[in-house]
Amino acid sequence: MAKLRGPEGCPWDRKQTPDSLKPFLVEECYEVIDALEDGAPDKIREELGDLLFQIVFHARIAEEAGQFTINDIITAIHEKMTRRHPHVFGEETLTTAEEVVSKWEDIKRKEKGHEDRKSILEGVPKELPALLRAHRLQERAARVGFDWAHLNEALPKLDEEIAEFKESLKTEDAGKIEEELGDVFFMLVNLSRFLGLNPEDALRKTIGKFIHRFRYIEEHAEQAGRSLNNMTMDEMEKLWQEAKEH
């Protein structure tokens, strides 16, 4: 990385800044997730390497500016993980995952930069995808008891939100419709969290399923010499149902 950024290095690499690299960092994170879902070790290794390259890239830019080095990054995370696992590296005893999470948050609140936080909801990045951010915020609230005791208590709330959304459609008020639709999404995220599922993962898998089935329709339409624009919904629905079996 030092050579790429050096005088005899790459013009593109030398030109980059932390801001210009943001999209690449996000993209590499999602490519790692795609690789993990595919479950192919070679692809996972490659994508983790690409993500690591972005970390090294940012570290090099910071080193050039006299801010910190890659060694500083590694040292800091080593110290943080040691500090936040007193049950492993210290004398405390924690036996459940729930106890570990509670202790983690307690330690975090006492650390420099976190002591002035006024809400347990602070610290969840605004830049997260909306579904994931909602999930993280709801997790934080649940840690202090703001949660249902049983699934049967949560399901009626989903029915309530859907009913309110249907009522909003009658108003033809775009703002109200958007608000009620948001409430439905938020409730679905809450249910996924309660069930121990990640809403981003669930939706991503459904997107993949949709792409597979829609491609099936496109391919069979092409084989029949048909255009999707000239097919009826019933014809496409028939192919859609066929795609479910493939």
Side-chain angles (χ1 to χ4, degrees), residues 148-168:
W148 298 282
H150 304 287
L151 180 62
N152 287 340
E153 296 177 4
L155 289 173
K157 184 63 177 176
L158 175 61
D159 294 334
E160 177 186 326
E161 296 295 355
I162 291 175
E164 291 179 2
F165 170 66
K166 289 180 178 179
E167 283 298 312
S168 72

Side-chain angles (χ1 to χ4, degrees), residues 114-125:
H114 298 280
E115 63 271 24
D116 295 331
R117 288 185 176 176
K118 299 177 181 178
S119 170
I120 194 173
L121 301 180
E122 290 184 45
V124 177

Side-chain angles (χ1 to χ4, degrees), residues 1-10 14 60 64:
M1 194 68 249
K3 186 165 185 175
L4 286 172
R5 292 275 298 175
E8 304 302 321
C10 171
R14 290 202 306 269
R60 179 61 194 178
E64 292 168 0

Side-chain angles (χ1 to χ4, degrees), residues 20 28-29 54 65-66 77 87 93 103 115 130-132 158-159 161 163 172 187 192 194-195 208:
S20 72
E28 297 300 349
C29 287
Q54 288 299 313
I77 191 61
H87 53 294
T93 300
K103 186 64 179 180
E115 63 271 24
L131 286 180
L132 184 56
L158 175 61
D159 294 334
E161 296 295 355
E172 298 185 359
M187 186 59 209
S192 71
F194 194 84
L195 292 168

